[in-house]
């Protein structure tokens, strides 16, 4: 399972490269801590170190050695970093504790004039869903809407087979329902606003792991384990018995 994840992540890292973005990629399971390493062993007297996060380049932590000031701005961005940032006052490295998917994204470390980038991926715990054979199951992307250059992909099974994709960049919505011997044929519904996927009229062949990959400037993913349970029909047989002579002699 872990191995599969890593394979997938490597694939995604390669995709980043293709996009011409470079930097250090870090990867963490939701709830764990991650340290973004400044690469410094100690700070010099006139160093100014700044950590910034996300599309808006929001400053989240700063060290000004001259001023002897160490500041963590953890109330920014709706408090998503509150009580979760630890700034090492010797090296300037930043630790984010108890991560959630809200901490996934682009981190920029500026040391004086030098810039270093990190991409943080936070993996969700696998969500388990059960469904009765024949019923529909919806896998929620938790996205409220997709932005113009977003790409999302749904993948299924051990081979991570691509079954559905929304590519806003190319303005394309594709359902690959002929893959895997057609087991998904006419059964996939992809919500074009949120990217959520519904599998209708499930059979035990749809049992397995589904992954949602989201590329929205950075990469994130969600995993679902779908269990399809069968319905057992109970046949009650009624035997006709003739009259029994209990007073048999
Ligand atoms: C760092 O602190 C010094 C002394 O207070 C100040 O002169 C300098 O402007 C500060 N640098 C930054 C980038 O804030
Ligand atoms: C650096 O942090 C350590 C432990 O968090 C603390 O004991 C020490 O006083 C700090 N040093 C400075 C210069 O802030
Ligand atoms: C981790 O964060 C979650 C909310 O995202 C919170 O409910 C939980 O108490 C936090 N755990 C710790 C150990 O801080
Ligand atoms: C999204 O789906 C709705 C209903 O299925 C459809 O009316 C609409 O045209 C679709 N929008 C796009 C951009 O495909
Ligand atoms: C559901 O799938 C079964 C085959 O697995 C098929 O026989 C049946 O017609 C399908 N029902 C609907 C409502 O599509």
């Amino acid at each position: 399972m872990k191995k599969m994840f890593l394979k997938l992540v490597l694939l995604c890292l390669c995709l980043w490269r293709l996009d011409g973005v470079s930097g250090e990629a870090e990867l963490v399971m939701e709830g764990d801590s991650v340290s973004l390493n400044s690469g410094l062993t100690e700070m010099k007297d006139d160093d100014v170190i700044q950590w910034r996060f996300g599309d808006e380049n929001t400053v989240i932590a700063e060290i000004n050695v001259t001023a002897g000031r160490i500041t963590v701005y953890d109330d920014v961005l709706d408090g998503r970093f509150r009580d979760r940032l630890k700034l090492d006052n010797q090296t300037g490295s930043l630790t984010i504790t108890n991560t959630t998917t809200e901490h996934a994204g682009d981190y920029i470390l500026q040391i004086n004039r030098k810039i270093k980038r990190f991409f943080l991926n936070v993996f969700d715990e696998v969500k388990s869903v059960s469904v009765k054979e024949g019923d529909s199951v919806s896998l929620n992307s938790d996205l409220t809407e997709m932005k113009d250059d977003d790409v999302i992909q749904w993948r299924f099974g051990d081979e991570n087979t691509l079954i559905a994709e929304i590519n806003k960049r190319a303005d394309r919505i594709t359902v690959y329902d002929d893959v895997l011997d057609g087991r998904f044929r006419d059964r996939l519904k992809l919500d074009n606003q949120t990217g959520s996927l519904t599998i209708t009229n499930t059979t035990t062949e749809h049992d397995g792991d589904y992954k949602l990959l989201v590329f929205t400037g950075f990469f994130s993913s969600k995993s679902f384990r779908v269990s399809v349970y069968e319905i057992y029909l109970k046949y009650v047989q009624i035997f006709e018995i003739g009259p029994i002579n209990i007073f048999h002699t």
Side-chain angles (χ1 to χ4, degrees):
M1 191 64 207
K2 272 245 163 78
K3 216 160 136 199
M4 229 47 241
F5 259 133
L6 289 179
K7 219 159 118 189
L8 200 66
V9 167
L10 289 180
L11 181 124
C12 295
L13 295 185
C14 292
L15 288 180
W16 272 334
R17 286 282 155 69
L18 290 179
D19 275 357
V21 191
S22 70
E24 234 171 77
E26 298 283 344
L27 150 74
V28 67
M29 275 310 274
E30 191 167 32
D32 286 351
S33 296
V34 62
S35 289
L36 306 180
N37 198 331
S38 69
L40 298 177
T41 48
E42 61 174 10
M43 277 180 278
K44 292 192 294 301
D45 281 350
D46 53 354
D47 279 351
V48 174
I49 288 184
Q50 206 175 53
W51 282 98
R52 298 195 290 268
F53 173 74
D55 291 345
E56 312 283 322
N57 257 317
T58 311
V59 178
I60 54 173
E62 207 167 32
I63 299 179
N64 182 331
V65 178
T66 311
R69 201 170 52 225
I70 298 178
T71 323
V72 171
Y73 301 95
D74 64 358
D75 279 344
V76 296
L77 299 168
D78 306 322
R80 77 178 72 171
F81 288 105
R82 196 169 292 135
D83 301 328
R84 293 174 203 253
L85 295 180
K86 280 192 196 140
L87 190 57
D88 186 311
N89 59 18
Q90 301 297 306
T91 64
S93 295
L94 184 71
T95 301
I96 305 144
T97 59
N98 192 16
T99 50
T100 71
T101 50
E102 279 194 318
H103 305 116
D106 212 351
Y107 291 76
I108 289 177
L109 166 64
Q110 183 164 358
I111 306 172
N112 305 321
R113 292 237 165 74
K114 240 176 63 200
I115 279 187
K116 196 172 168 183
R117 292 179 78 171
F118 298 82
F119 306 98
L120 180 63
N121 299 330
V122 181
F123 284 103
D124 250 0
E125 297 291 350
V126 178
K127 291 191 177 63
S128 291
V129 195
S130 351
V131 60
K132 193 167 80 210
E133 192 172 22
D135 282 356
S136 295
V137 60
S138 285
L139 307 179
N140 200 334
S141 69
D142 287 338
L143 300 171
T144 46
E145 59 169 342
M146 296 183 59
K147 291 196 285 312
D148 281 348
D149 55 353
D150 286 356
V151 177
I152 70 156
Q153 292 185 342
W154 283 99
R155 290 177 177 264
F156 173 74
D158 287 346
E159 304 293 324
N160 286 308
T161 309
L162 183 61
I163 54 173
E165 182 175 48
I166 298 180
N167 186 331
K168 287 279 190 187
R169 257 175 252 176
D171 197 17
R172 200 176 54 218
I173 298 180
T174 321
V175 171
Y176 299 92
D177 64 359
D178 279 343
V179 295
L180 299 168
D181 305 323
R183 77 179 71 171
F184 290 106
R185 196 170 292 135
D186 301 329
R187 292 172 203 254
L188 296 179
K189 278 193 198 143
L190 192 56
D191 185 313
N192 60 18
Q193 301 295 306
T194 63
S196 293
L197 183 72
T198 301
I199 307 145
T200 59
N201 192 17
T202 52
T203 72
T204 49
E205 279 193 317
H206 305 116
D207 204 282
D209 290 337
Y210 292 76
K211 292 192 189 76
L212 168 67
L213 308 184
V214 184
F215 306 86
T216 61
F218 60 94
F219 163 72
S220 68
S221 85
K222 259 181 198 311
S223 299
F224 300 85
R225 176 156 307 144
V226 173
S227 310
V228 181
Y229 56 91
E230 290 174 86
I231 328 161
Y232 294 99
L233 289 180
K234 264 195 196 140
Y235 292 98
V236 180
Q237 237 167 338
I238 300 168
F239 295 94
E240 252 182 79
I241 343 174
I244 302 168
N245 186 356
I246 50 172
F247 302 108
H248 192 74
T249 51

